[in-house]
């Protein structure tokens, strides 16, 4: 399935835009399937932010298929579900000295790909060293992010399509 | 009579499932009489019992910390599908040592599924949560970072020594006091 992208995906984000993050490890969940902080942590020693898909410019079936495609090369690692956030919720977690921003970063196979970036005192925080705890300013922001995120474990993992709740219609308070 | 040194005691405990008191049962059935002797050869029975208890507690705490962390020790790189690193051996070692040093009350409130989180950068996080209070600790190769949340107010502590004493001790005192 190709990405049902609009030919014109804007580079700016509206606050009510929906953002999806694929989940590939049971270590991302608590027993009640609420999310753990590692869902929004940065990968070490890379320049990238937290990889997400702009649901308003994509489709749940496409997201799921991309996630299932990613799981294949990983031994014993599987796609488990998705996290859903609103852009407004993400941006609202900015807490001095950290600012949270969204960046539109389309990829060849995912036109609606985007990233969540953390800035400390205006500088893009990246290339975090291995084995070093994340600055608490960022951990605090991630803790706030979790309060805005909803967890949707996929109850139909073998299906090629998303058969759960329509996440484009889920109401946020 | 056999003399048991601390090293032998640990080895013996491992053979007996970790409980030094199980040795007493073995002893009562065994024709061999074993007397525990402290390294400095004190003859006070109280001291010997106290020594057992301390050693048992620390060995037992270490073992339970190892058990708690065993599933995180088995992670491989890219465990989250986004390129996360497995916890480093230093992080595992530091975490075992840290958990072993926690008071029982604190350790008991740590749910090993819900309150321990491997992070993509190879560190491990631990958190304690009650109604209005959270203590979050991220242990790295050399240092740990801590933040506390109390009544919607966050306080962060970066670059702390990996130890219960100091900042954490006072945070937990408040955590349990306000939860009392």
């Amino acid at each position: 399935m190709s990405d049902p992208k609009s030919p014109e995906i804007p580079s700016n984000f509206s606050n009510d835009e929906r953002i999806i993050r694929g989940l590939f490890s049971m270590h991302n969940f608590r027993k009640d399937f609420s999310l753990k902080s590692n869902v929004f942590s940065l990968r070490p020693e890379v320049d990238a932010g937290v990889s997400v898909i702009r649901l308003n410019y994509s489709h749940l079936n496409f997201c799921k298929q991309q996630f299932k495609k990613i799981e294949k090369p990983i031994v014993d690692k599987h796609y488990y579900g998705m996290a859903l956030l609103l852009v407004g919720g993400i941006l609202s977690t900015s807490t001095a000295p950290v600012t949270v921003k969204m960046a539109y970063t389309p990829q060849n196979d995912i036109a609606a790909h985007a990233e969540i970036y953390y800035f400390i005192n205006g500088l893009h925080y990246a290339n975090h060293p291995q084995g070093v705890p994340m600055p608490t300013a960022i951990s605090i922001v991630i803790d706030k992010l979790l309060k805005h995120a909803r967890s949707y474990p996929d109850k139909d993992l073998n299906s090629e399509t998303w058969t759960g709740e329509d996440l484009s219609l889920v109401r946020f308070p | 009579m056999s003399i048991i040194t601390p090293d032998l005691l640990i080895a013996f405990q491992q053979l007996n499932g970790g409980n030094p008191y199980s040795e007493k049962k073995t002893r009562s059935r065994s024709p061999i009489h074993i007397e525990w002797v402290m390294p400095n050869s004190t003859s006070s029975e109280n001291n010997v019992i106290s020594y057992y208890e301390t050693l048992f507690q620390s060995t037992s705490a270490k073992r339970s910390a190892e058990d708690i962390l065993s599933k995180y020790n088995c992670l491989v790189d890219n465990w989250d599908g986004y390129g996360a690193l497995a916890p480093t051996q230093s992080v595992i070692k530091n975490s075992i040592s840290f958990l072993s040093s926690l008071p029982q009350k604190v350790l008991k409130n740590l749910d090993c599924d819900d309150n321990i989180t491997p992070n993509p950068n190879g560190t491990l996080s631990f958190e304690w949560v009650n109604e209005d209070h959270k203590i979050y600790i991220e242990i790295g190769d050399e240092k740990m970072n801590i933040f506390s949340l109390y009544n919607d107010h966050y306080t962060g502590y970066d670059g702390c020594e990996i130890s219960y004493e100091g900042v954490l001790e006072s945070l937990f005192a408040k955590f349990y006091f306000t939860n009392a």
Side-chain angles (χ1 to χ4, degrees):
Chain A
M1 182 182 178
S2 61
D3 191 351
K5 61 188 174 188
S6 153
E8 296 167 6
I9 299 181
S11 57
N12 57 327
F13 293 75
S14 63
N15 279 344
D16 58 357
E17 206 177 309
R18 286 156 196 264
I19 298 296
I20 293 285
R21 166 88 165 160
L23 304 170
F24 299 92
S25 171
M26 284 310 289
H27 292 292
N28 292 141
F29 298 97
R30 293 194 173 81
K31 288 195 285 282
D32 63 0
F33 291 105
S34 60
L35 299 172
K36 288 184 161 188
S37 56
N38 53 16
V39 172
F40 301 112
S41 283
L42 295 172
R43 280 181 284 163
E45 296 167 354
V46 294
D47 208 12
V50 179
S51 176
V52 294
I53 297 179
R54 303 173 72 177
L55 182 57
N56 296 41
Y57 302 99
S58 188
H59 189 279
L60 282 167
N61 290 341
F62 174 78
C63 293
K64 177 167 176 178
Q65 282 156 24
Q66 288 301 311
F67 298 150
K68 284 182 76 75
K69 209 161 83 180
I70 293 171
E71 75 174 340
K72 286 175 188 165
I74 311 167
V75 178
D76 205 24
K77 300 293 172 293
H78 304 282
Y79 153 75
Y80 285 105
M82 306 182 194
L84 173 70
L85 305 102
L86 286 183
V87 167
I90 295 170
L91 302 182
S92 72
T93 59
S94 293
T95 309
V98 177
T99 311
V100 184
K101 292 184 180 175
M102 295 297 306
Y104 177 41
T105 52
Q107 294 181 345
N108 286 340
D109 49 351
I110 309 176
H113 186 267
E115 285 168 64
I116 301 172
Y117 285 146
Y118 305 115
F119 290 75
I120 299 184
N121 292 322
L123 297 173
H124 175 208
Y125 191 81
N127 294 305
H128 182 79
Q130 175 184 355
V132 174
M134 200 61 66
T136 54
I138 289 183
S139 300
I140 287 169
V141 161
I142 291 173
D143 195 58
K144 291 181 174 181
L145 259 179
L146 289 175
K147 292 170 187 164
H148 291 273
R150 296 192 181 182
S151 165
Y152 292 91
D154 196 328
K155 293 171 184 164
D156 199 1
L157 290 170
N158 292 327
S159 168
E160 285 302 305
T161 57
W162 175 260
T163 57
E165 192 174 355
D166 185 349
L167 304 189
S168 60
L169 298 176
V170 169
R171 285 177 177 274
F172 282 81
Chain B
M1 185 178 88
S2 303
I3 295 175
I4 306 294
T5 63
D7 287 347
L8 284 173
L9 176 58
I10 289 168
F12 204 84
Q13 284 173 2
Q14 284 167 348
L15 287 171
N16 278 288
N19 185 350
Y21 298 109
S22 66
E23 165 55 16
K24 286 182 178 175
K25 293 176 188 169
T26 308
R27 183 170 46 181
S28 66
R29 292 196 300 269
S30 166
I32 302 167
H33 175 70
I34 298 175
E35 183 176 325
W36 304 101
V37 179
M38 295 278 284
N40 57 4
S41 298
T42 172
S43 58
S44 159
E45 192 172 310
N46 286 340
N47 282 350
V48 172
I49 290 169
S50 162
Y51 174 70
Y52 284 160
E53 286 175 348
T54 307
L55 194 57
F56 171 59
Q57 280 164 8
S58 65
T59 308
S60 163
K62 184 166 184 249
R63 187 162 294 135
S64 76
E66 285 168 350
D67 287 346
I68 287 169
L69 294 172
S70 58
K71 72 176 181 179
Y72 303 100
N73 201 11
C74 297
L75 286 175
V76 294
D77 286 350
N78 201 22
W79 54 265
D80 74 343
Y82 290 102
L85 297 176
T88 66
Q89 281 311 300
S90 307
V91 166
I92 293 286
K93 196 177 149 198
N94 289 342
S95 300
I96 289 171
S97 160
F98 172 73
L99 291 183
S100 308
S101 73
L102 293 178
Q104 274 301 109
K105 185 179 182 181
V106 175
L107 190 60
K108 241 193 260 179
N109 285 351
L110 186 72
D111 183 309
C112 59
D113 290 316
D114 284 359
N115 303 137
I116 304 179
T117 304
N119 296 307
N121 52 329
T123 61
L124 282 173
S125 295
F126 303 84
E127 55 182 28
W128 286 260
V129 184
N130 64 33
E131 280 175 13
D132 54 4
H133 208 147
K134 175 187 264 190
I135 296 175
Y136 174 96
I137 299 162
E138 184 179 348
I139 292 186
D141 285 339
E142 292 175 2
K143 299 280 183 180
M144 68 179 180
N145 286 357
I146 303 165
F147 77 73
S148 73
L149 169 65
Y150 179 59
N151 282 342
D152 293 328
H153 178 73
Y154 285 93
T155 310
Y157 306 87
D158 286 88
C160 302
E161 295 298 324
I162 302 171
S163 165
Y164 178 72
E165 290 168 7
V167 171
L168 271 183
E169 201 167 9
S170 59
L171 287 177
F172 275 109
K174 190 175 176 186
F175 183 89
Y176 285 111
F177 178 76
T178 52
N179 198 31

